[in-house]
Amino acid sequence: MKNNINLRIASPEDAHSLLEIYSYYVKNTSITFEWEVPSISEFKNRISSTLKKFPFIIAEMDNTIVGYAYASPFKSRAAYEWAIETSIYVHKDFCHQGIGKQLLFKLEELLARQNVLNSNACIAYPETEDEFLTKNSAQFHEKMGYKLVGEFHQCGYKFNRWYNMIWMEKIIGEHKSNQEPVIPFYKIQNIDIE
């Protein structure tokens, strides 16, 4: 355990606590371009669906869930199998305490064990920072070794404002001509999350 943070695999039973974290970002920020808070049943389904193939991990402090991270497919075509998209959310009252860093490091470690090679982050990005969106996420990912690979302009509309979206990428495995297939997360044995 680092800095009193315990990491573990999520389960659908965690949906209520995770949705409390996420709903703040839906209602009050443009960090997510989702407009409506999903239902508990929808969020449980998101967790279950993710765990069929990829990690969905939780950070706890003193038995309180303070953040989560998960991976999802980058694209559906077979050739994209080794590329994923990451998502990280930290409870608004626990930001800047190293939780996101620990979540992302662990997520990348688990993905590498699955033979995933490219970790991608799709990030809402303001031309000018405002009360709904800053450049913090892009700066965080840059510190974590991600590189900017593309920017889409005024493609996200929320709170009567237009926002850009950027893609950042980090290579977490070796690209080969005879690439090992990606192992579904549920098939990884002896998952040590700590």
Side-chain angles (χ1 to χ4, degrees):
M1 194 154 62
K2 298 175 186 173
N3 301 332
N4 246 0
I5 299 169
N6 178 51
L7 301 178
R8 68 173 174 83
I9 306 299
S11 75
E13 289 70 38
D14 296 309
H16 182 75
S17 295
L18 299 179
L19 194 53
E20 282 183 12
I21 292 170
Y22 184 60
S23 65
Y24 169 80
Y25 292 101
V26 174
K27 293 176 185 176
N28 301 288
T29 80
S30 293
I31 289 170
T32 174
F33 283 165
E34 195 157 15
W35 283 18
E36 301 293 330
V37 176
S39 67
I40 289 287
S41 61
E42 166 63 20
F43 213 80
K44 284 182 178 181
N45 186 53
R46 291 182 188 186
I47 296 166
S48 298
S49 296
T50 298
L51 288 171
K52 289 177 184 173
K53 187 150 190 187
F54 296 115
F56 196 128
I57 57 177
I58 285 174
E60 293 179 316
M61 292 177 70
D62 301 321
N63 296 315
T64 299
I65 295 175
V66 293
Y68 64 95
Y70 62 93
S72 54
F74 176 63
K75 290 280 188 180
S76 61
R77 301 283 190 264
Y80 292 109
E81 181 77 9
W82 295 267
I84 57 84
E85 180 182 346
T86 61
S87 296
I88 302 170
Y89 291 93
V90 175
H91 190 288
K92 67 178 181 64
D93 296 333
F94 292 88
C95 292
H96 308 293
Q97 296 184 32
I99 296 165
K101 183 177 181 179
Q102 287 189 42
L103 282 166
L104 187 53
F105 273 141
K106 181 54 70 174
L107 186 65
E108 291 170 354
E109 178 187 310
L110 294 171
L111 290 164
R113 286 179 60 188
Q114 292 183 256
N115 299 323
V116 169
L117 305 176
N118 294 42
S119 181
N120 302 292
C122 179
I123 301 168
Y125 193 78
E127 288 184 4
T128 303
E129 293 183 319
D130 61 29
E131 68 271 28
F132 302 115
L133 187 63
T134 67
K135 297 179 180 179
N136 286 351
S137 185
Q139 293 161 349
F140 164 77
H141 281 85
E142 185 176 18
K143 288 178 185 172
M144 296 294 289
Y146 286 70
K147 306 288 184 205
L148 178 67
V149 292
E151 182 169 5
F152 295 84
H153 299 94
Q154 297 186 345
C155 60
Y157 183 73
K158 191 171 179 182
F159 302 127
N160 299 317
R161 298 176 193 196
W162 286 101
Y163 294 102
N164 294 358
M165 181 268 289
I166 61 172
W167 278 101
M168 298 184 78
E169 176 186 60
K170 182 178 181 181
I171 304 303
I172 61 172
E174 181 185 354
H175 293 78
K176 306 172 189 173
S177 57
N178 271 337
Q179 200 65 52
E180 294 288 325
V182 172
I183 304 165
F185 185 64
Y186 76 90
K187 287 188 176 181
I188 294 178
Q189 299 298 312
N190 303 316
I191 298 170
D192 181 13
I193 196 78
E194 286 302 314

